[in-house]
Amino acid sequence: MDILIFDLKGKFAHFRKFYTNSSSLSYSIPTRTVIEGIIGAVLGMERDSYYEILSKNMCNIALRKLCSTYKIMQTVNYIKATSEKYLVEPKEHTQIPFEIVTSEYNLVYRIYINSHDINIIDKLQYSIENKSFEYIPYLGAAPFNCSLHFVASVQGKETDCNSWQEISSVVNSQYICREGIDIGKKNLFLIKEKMPLDFTGDRIIREVNSYIYDENGQSIKVKLNCKAVNIKYNNVDENIVFM
């Protein structure tokens, strides 16, 4: 299994929770749909054109949180603009609480991707290595630009089911056996978030799952009812689970 690994780095992020309304609350990590959007931007795919190409059936994506994070609540002024003139001379304003994710240094998220279409992986690797992006990538909201850094291109090997394993990536809770989380690790801060997995072509959420990860970026020891993937690169030996 060919897997491309790269890092997303930035100072601030906002990954809007799909079930919020008046307050713009944020996840601590990018959802799979956000990652799809970043890949689509880098490759120059038009808005809403990549949902099937990068869907779960066509593309495997895993995510690892490499930093501890905290959140800041700010208030943002929105304007009601029914035509261009109201952008210049706005008449109506609404103040909305807006949650921003940041870290003591930089936000860093590691992405692992495998696709049935090898051309996508080749183009993505070329774009990341040469810093050649069709559209500017950002961490969930347009003001929060991010950089992409190539890490490795490796072969992954599937591991056995029903065994205890250290998993570096975010894990779908459905993949964890009953009583299958070891909570004895020092400074473990487990988070469980309900996040969208995929969109349909009409930008409607196709599937929602609950994901578990350590807020401080540690791996978690779990017993899985599915196969994980073992990868080795740059003196790193880790197991991941695709979202």
Side-chain angles (χ1 to χ4, degrees), residues 64-116:
R64 179 181 178 185
K65 190 172 188 277
L66 290 177
C67 61
S68 59
T69 57
Y70 62 93
K71 296 176 181 178
I72 304 169
M73 186 64 78
Q74 297 289 317
T75 302
V76 178
N77 269 338
Y78 284 95
I79 62 173
K80 183 177 181 180
T82 54
S83 66
E84 291 184 4
K85 71 175 184 178
Y86 292 119
L87 293 174
V88 180
E89 298 179 357
K91 291 187 176 181
E92 295 184 48
H93 295 261
T94 302
Q95 290 191 328
I96 300 294
F98 187 83
E99 196 169 46
I100 298 171
V101 182
T102 188
S103 180
E104 185 177 356
Y105 300 104
N106 281 314
L107 298 171
V108 187
Y109 303 101
R110 181 154 293 174
I111 310 299
Y112 311 79
I113 178 171
N114 160 265
S115 175
H116 297 320

Side-chain angles (χ1 to χ4, degrees), residues 163-167 176 180-185 188 190 218-223:
S163 61
W164 287 95
Q165 302 179 63
E166 286 283 341
I167 303 296
I176 301 175
I181 301 181
D182 184 348
I183 59 174
K185 182 177 287 188
L188 194 65
L190 291 181
Q218 298 183 93
S219 62
I220 58 176
K221 188 175 182 180
V222 294
K223 187 176 183 180

Side-chain angles (χ1 to χ4, degrees), residues 1 60 156-161 165 227-230 239 242:
M1 179 185 296
N60 296 313
K157 182 180 179 182
E158 291 186 332
T159 64
D160 295 330
C161 300
Q165 302 179 63
K227 292 184 177 181
V229 178
N230 177 257
N239 299 316
F242 291 117

Side-chain angles (χ1 to χ4, degrees), residues 7 16 41 47 62 74 87 97 101 125 129 140 144 157 160-162 175 178 188 194 199 219 221 226 231:
D7 288 346
R16 182 183 173 88
R47 179 184 171 89
Q74 297 289 317
L87 293 174
V101 182
Q125 181 173 339
E129 288 184 314
F144 305 142
K157 182 180 179 182
D160 295 330
C161 300
N162 299 313
Y175 298 159
R178 183 177 176 83
L188 194 65
K194 184 172 287 188
F199 283 137
S219 62
K221 188 175 182 180
C226 69
I231 51 177

Side-chain angles (χ1 to χ4, degrees), residues 5-8 109-111 113 124 128 148-151:
I5 308 171
F6 63 93
D7 288 346
L8 300 175
Y109 303 101
R110 181 154 293 174
I111 310 299
I113 178 171
L124 184 59
I128 295 172
L148 279 68
H149 303 267
F150 174 77
V151 176

